Structure formats: C-alpha cells, structure tokens
Amino acid sequence: MPHNHSKKFQRSLVWLRRDLRLKDNAALYKALQQSEHVWLLFVLDKEILDPLIEQGLTKDRRLSFIYDSLEELNNTLASLGTGLILRHGQARTCVPEIAELLQVDAVWTNQDYEPMAIARDRDIDLILKKNKRHFFLLKDQTIFHQNEILTKSGQAYSIFTPYKKAWLEKLTPSHLLPYSIKPYLNALAPIPDHMTPHWPSLESIGFQRQPLSHPGGTRGAQILLNKFSEHVSLYHLQKDYPALSGSSELSVHLRFGTISIRQLAQSAYTKMQAGDPGAKSWLSELIWRDFYFMILYHHPKLAEGASFKPEYDAIEWERGPQAQLLFETWCKATTGYPIIDAAMRQLNQTGWMHNRLRMIVASFLCKDLGVDWRWGEYYFAQQLNDFDLAANNGGWQWVSSSGCDAQPYFRIFNPILQSKKFDPEGIFIRKYIPELRQLPNQWIHCPWLAPTNTLSDLGVKLGENYPQPIINHQYAREQTLKRYATVKTQAK
Ligand SMILES: Cc1cc2nc3c(=O)[nH]c(=O)nc-3n(C[C@H](O)[C@H](O)[C@H](O)COP(=O)(O)OP(=O)(O)OC[C@H]3O[C@@H](n4cnc5c(N)ncnc54)[C@H](O)[C@@H]3O)c2cc1C
C-alpha cells in the first residue's frame, strides 16, 4: 500500500490480552487502520501469575495453552516481517514502559468486563494520559457491549429470555462483520534493535509445560470449529449427553480469543436464518456468554463473592473439618456417585467439563453436600482451562439458586436420575471410571444398590476399589430444603 498521509497516528501499540489472534481483532484492526507503525505486545502479568505460583499451581494447563497461542502468533508475525513483544512483569508498569520505549502515540486494546481488569485499565489509562498518550478500549469480546442491550427503562436486564429477545432484535449484519486487516498489513512495524528480543520461556517464569487434549492457537480453534460444523445441526439434540461430544468445546478458545465471537455468531446466525434448529440453540449459548459479561459488568460485587440475590447470603453452609472433608471428596472424585466422580475426573484430567456435568456436580456440592458454592466456584477457577469469571460465577449462582435468572432453590438435581437420563448406557462413566466398567447399565449409576454377589463377580469392592456413596440423596435433599428455608423467609 502507498504511504498513507491521512493516518491519524504515527506510532501505535496493540496490547493483546484475551484476544490471541490477528484475524478479526477489533483493536488490532483499528490500530493498523489509523497508524503508520504498529507493534504488538503481550504481558505475562505477574499480578495474575504470581498468586498461582504461590499456591503451587505451577502445572496450570492454561499457561501451556497461552504459550502455544503466543508462539503461533509470533511465527505468523515473523512471516509478516515483525514479531510479538513478550514481557514478564506487571502490566501496570510494562505497558506504559513499552509505550515509552517505542514512543507510541496510542495504545489499543480490547475491553475486558471483569472488575479487576477494569480497575487496572483505568490506572494504565491515567499513566498513559499523563505522558500524552491515548488509550483506546474496543469492543471485541462480545457482540454487544454492557450498555447496548437495556430494558425500555434503561436498566440492565437480569432475566435471560427478554435479554436474548432484545439481543436478536438489535442484531444487524454489521455487528457480525469481520475486521479484515489485510489492506493495512504494511503498518506492522519491525521490532526496533534497541528493544532486544526477549522471549521468557514458560519454565523461566515458573511454570511446567503440560500436555493439552487439544492444540492451542487459532489452528487449534479451527480444527474444533471444522469438526463441530459437521454436527452443529444436531446440537439441540445432543448437547446434554456427555458421551456424544455434541458441543463445540471451543470455550477455551473463546476465553483466550484464539477465535472471534463474531465469526462464530455469524456462522450460527446464518444457519439459524436458514432454519437450522441446532445452530439456533447454539447461538443461544453464545448469547448467554454476552449476558453474563453484561451481568458482571453491572454487578461487580459478584466478583467479591456476593450472591446476586442478597438474601441468599444468609444461607448457613456446612462448616469446619466436616465441610472440608466433603469438599475434598468432591474435588478428588471420591463421592461414590459415579456420574459425579467421572465428571470430576474429566475436569481434573483434562481441564474441561461438559456443561450438563458442570450443572450436576455443582448442584451436588451445594445441594447434596451442603458446601458453599463459592468453594466450588474457586475450584473450577483453578481447574478449568476455559475459566471465565463471568460465566463461572453465572453458572454457580444459577445452580445454587442465588443468581440473577437462576433455577428455583427447591429444584434439586437427583444425581442418579440425571445420570440415568444423560448417560443412560454409562458410556461416559465407564470412560472415566474403569473400575466400574463391567457393571451392567442397571447398576452403573448407583453401584451400592447392586446385589453383593454381582459386585464381587465383577470385581467391584465398594469401600476398597470404589467408594461407598458419601451421602444419601433423599436425606441430603431434605437437609437442603431446610437450609434454604431461611432464604424463603427472608425473601417474603
Ligand atoms: C457451574 C458452571 C460453571 C461454568 N464455568 C464456566 C467457565 O468458567 N467458563 C465458560 O466459558 N463457561 C462456563 N460454564 C458454561 C458452560 O458450561 C461452558 O461454556 C461449556 O460447557 C463449554 O463447552 P463448549 O465450548 O463445548 O460449549 P458450547 O455448548 O459449544 O457453547 C458455545 C460457547 O458458548 C458459551 N457458553 C455456553 N454455555 C454458556 C453458559 N451457560 N454461560 C456462558 N457461556 C456459555 C461458551 O463460550 C461456549 O464455548 C459454566 C457452567 C456451569 C454450570
């Protein structure tokens, strides 16, 4: 492209965070379109990483995912004559420092909706402004921003169905258009010599590489998307059955932005318009994602452990060593309920768990074991590759009934019935609990009810090679109804 004198900025920096891609990236597009020279930066933020190291979580799989994605990005940028600037430090200091070193006029980044990220961005904005630099926050993670879908009286929605209706009514083709950077690629500038190439290894920042069940990067996302596209039409029929792998498993890619939400929503919307019921159901899930970002933005207290419905903070959860023991049993997948243990093993082994199972195990923790849902939320936050504060909090508060549009408190999943309904032949259970593989379908969901000689013939010794159930569901249900009765009284 010829030298473009009409560009507004001489030099710009794009700060990547949850958007590890070049394709269809709002901040990158705007920076390239409006600047003569553009560099890209990613900060391995000590404010986020050091607490993980302090807790001994050095085998966090997400770091391996991030590294794979950064390496892919760097290789692509190298083929375009530049590279990714990677720094290990505090974003609050690194971003202004790199901006100074490169003498940029503006820093561009995509907006985050989490309270801590918003506060950090505000601080960085102030520092940059002091040094006469612009700071631009773009909409990229969502189709609609926090204030784009409001009720008639200008309030944020708190119920999903009317939100979704308004979301679909507001949608126009322009919301789904990709940001194509092709015409502006010549603005990508080589990294100057005085900025010594510096690529801290995963090990040097304190983490160990972990095997991933699916590759990271935009390539990994594309593989999953291609696979999912073959059966998206069946999504509404298959999505609840963990053995069928009927969902996209793209959540980690959406989390780190190795695929754009516009690309996915565009594909789902086009198929939905053509009458595809699977795509319609899938688009609804993508709208839940926007919904929970919007909820978190408008209710930042959720990030501090508050119930969306304050009366639910009065619930008295199990306490002390008993609660600790119940919680550990749940985390370690030794509850004696096969569907719960299989799901928790899936989480512990792969860092992903099927949505139906997330609902079942979450319900089991707070409504069978009586353990505070926040403990489960925290465990998920550590284990899930796709951990996202807004979606995770939304999911836990939905199950525990304290959330914005939650299931009623008296709706208590029966783990045996859920297991029979959604894994009728025990295919999923057998995959993760080989100890029970031989059990006939009749007993796979509740081995403790099987005749003793059936169990011993099939090599199952309850209490030895597979646990006895930790609790009786009927009893637990009654306890939970009592526990939640305080809420009922308060809400009156
Ligand atoms: C207790 C609990 C905790 C959860 N924690 C998280 C979390 O930390 N991160 C996360 O991304 N999702 C979370 N979810 C939502 C959901 O379980 C996952 O998004 C989904 O299982 C990811 O698998 P998938 O990519 O195959 O989803 P698909 O069914 O293919 O859906 C496509 C995408 O839509 C989004 N999505 C789907 N369902 C939801 C939902 N209920 N809320 C928000 N977004 C949704 C995800 O980005 C997902 O990748 C949680 C749900 C529950 C019940």
Side-chain angles (χ1 to χ4, degrees):
M1 245 181 72
H3 191 68
N4 185 347
H5 289 287
S6 65
K7 286 195 176 185
K8 207 166 159 193
F9 302 105
Q10 264 298 313
R11 304 156 82 90
S12 277
L13 178 66
V14 175
W15 173 25
L16 298 174
R17 292 111 61 102
R18 301 180 45 145
D19 50 347
L20 305 182
R21 65 181 191 283
L22 303 182
K23 187 179 161 189
D24 194 14
N25 181 322
L28 177 62
Y29 172 86
K30 293 277 180 195
L32 289 172
Q33 190 198 38
Q34 298 195 26
S35 324
E36 298 282 353
H37 306 287
V38 174
W39 294 272
L40 285 88
L41 165 73
F42 185 84
V43 181
L44 295 155
D45 194 343
K46 277 169 163 267
E47 273 183 44
I48 299 169
L49 301 181
D50 285 356
L52 295 177
I53 295 174
E54 279 155 26
Q55 292 169 68
L57 300 171
T58 56
K59 291 186 176 169
D60 194 310
R61 294 183 198 89
R62 288 168 289 193
L63 267 298
S64 295
F65 183 94
I66 292 171
Y67 258 76
D68 280 2
S69 307
L70 294 177
E71 275 158 15
E72 184 201 62
L73 250 173
N74 193 38
N75 289 340
T76 313
L77 287 169
S79 72
L80 296 167
T82 178
L84 178 69
I85 303 170
L86 181 66
R87 287 290 185 269
H88 181 219
Q90 289 196 353
R92 282 172 210 272
T93 46
C94 281
V95 174
E97 266 169 31
I98 300 286
E100 177 68 27
L101 274 171
L102 291 167
Q103 286 292 303
V104 297
D105 311 304
V107 175
W108 306 73
T109 199
N110 287 316
Q111 190 188 324
D112 206 313
Y113 300 88
E114 296 180 7
M116 275 167 64
I118 293 172
R120 176 201 59 204
D121 290 350
R122 212 174 283 138
D123 289 351
I124 290 177
D125 187 19
L126 285 177
I127 305 173
L128 290 171
K129 285 230 172 81
K130 238 190 226 163
N131 295 307
K132 310 262 179 303
R133 299 201 159 91
H134 298 270
F135 185 51
F136 296 112
L137 283 166
L138 281 294
K139 176 177 76 170
D140 183 75
Q141 254 186 70
T142 54
I143 299 295
F144 289 113
H145 250 338
Q146 65 273 8
N147 290 328
E148 282 184 285
I149 308 282
L150 297 173
T151 63
K152 289 207 171 71
S153 58
Q155 302 294 309
Y157 279 96
S158 56
I159 306 286
F160 177 68
T161 308
Y163 172 84
K164 175 179 154 184
K165 192 166 170 270
W167 192 105
L168 285 167
E169 275 168 12
K170 183 138 191 163
L171 192 73
T172 63
S174 69
H175 290 111
L176 303 176
L177 278 182
Y179 292 103
S180 172
I181 58 170
K182 255 197 190 137
Y184 308 110
L185 280 177
N186 68 339
L188 283 174
I191 302 177
D193 291 341
H194 70 275
M195 301 212 27
T196 43
H198 174 73
W199 190 270
S201 72
L202 185 58
E203 291 72 22
S204 74
I205 64 160
F207 291 89
Q208 298 167 43
R209 190 162 269 280
Q210 298 302 306
L212 298 171
S213 33
H214 299 298
T218 56
R219 192 180 66 88
Q222 199 54 48
I223 294 171
L224 288 177
L225 181 59
N226 292 347
K227 198 172 129 219
F228 180 62
S229 301
E230 289 167 16
H231 56 89
V232 58
S233 307
L234 300 175
Y235 179 77
H236 59 307
L237 303 173
Q238 297 187 332
K239 66 173 182 170
D240 277 316
Y241 299 89
L244 291 181
S245 302
S247 71
S248 68
E249 295 188 32
L250 279 164
S251 47
V252 62
H253 291 282
L254 277 165
R255 168 64 182 83
F256 292 108
T258 40
I259 197 151
S260 109
I261 183 65
R262 284 173 296 282
Q263 185 186 345
L264 299 183
Q266 161 81 61
S267 144
Y269 187 69
T270 313
K271 287 180 183 158
M272 180 182 100
Q273 295 291 76
D276 184 330
K280 182 178 178 196
S281 168
W282 196 60
L283 183 63
S284 209
E285 301 303 335
L286 298 180
I287 303 174
W288 268 108
R289 183 177 167 276
D290 264 19
F291 178 69
Y292 280 141
F293 279 134
M294 180 277 298
I295 289 284
L296 179 61
Y297 180 88
H298 286 285
H299 305 274
K301 68 183 171 111
L302 297 177
E304 290 157 23
S307 293
F308 186 90
K309 294 179 186 146
E311 64 271 23
Y312 281 74
D313 282 333
I315 291 180
E316 298 236 357
W317 303 101
E318 293 296 318
R319 286 195 205 148
Q322 170 66 1
Q324 197 58 43
L325 188 79
L326 292 168
F327 179 58
E328 274 171 23
T329 309
W330 180 83
C331 296
K332 290 185 180 148
T334 53
T335 66
Y337 279 81
I339 194 71
I340 305 293
D341 296 340
M344 294 305 288
R345 285 189 192 181
Q346 180 179 46
L347 174 65
N348 294 338
Q349 289 169 25
T350 70
W352 185 79
M353 192 196 285
H354 188 277
N355 179 57
R356 170 58 51 179
L357 300 174
R358 293 187 204 204
M359 293 197 280
I360 301 175
V361 302
S363 176
F364 191 78
L365 184 73
C366 60
K367 291 186 175 170
D368 276 78
L369 301 183
V371 172
D372 193 336
W373 58 267
R374 294 165 188 86
W375 295 21
E377 183 197 18
Y378 183 64
Y379 188 70
F380 268 29
Q382 289 182 337
Q383 296 294 326
L384 279 175
N385 296 339
D386 64 28
F387 164 61
D388 174 83
L389 180 53
N392 195 41
N393 186 272
W396 277 95
Q397 296 226 34
W398 184 87
V399 174
S400 74
S401 305
S402 57
C404 52
D405 187 8
Q407 65 169 348
Y409 76 90
F410 48 81
R411 179 133 188 260
I412 299 172
F413 282 157
N414 178 324
I416 306 165
L417 295 184
Q418 290 283 316
S419 184
K420 286 184 176 168
K421 189 167 175 193
F422 296 112
D423 189 26
E425 289 162 28
I427 297 171
F428 179 80
I429 292 176
R430 287 187 179 83
K431 180 173 176 191
Y432 283 98
I433 313 191
E435 309 88 288
L436 301 180
R437 196 174 278 155
Q438 306 289 336
L439 282 186
N441 293 351
Q442 188 185 4
W443 308 120
I444 191 84
H445 311 282
C446 43
W448 65 92
L449 296 180
T452 326
N453 56 350
T454 306
L455 289 176
S456 56
D457 287 354
L458 300 172
V460 179
K461 291 189 188 123
L462 290 185
E464 287 184 36
N465 60 3
Y466 186 71
Q468 294 277 3
I470 187 171
I471 205 152
N472 171 296
H473 174 68
Q474 283 317 322
Y475 168 79
R477 191 187 138 76
E478 283 155 26
Q479 294 304 306
T480 295
L481 289 175
K482 280 189 209 153
R483 198 186 296 282
Y484 275 78
T486 36
V487 173
K488 213 170 70 179
T489 331
Q490 292 223 349
K492 268 182 189 163

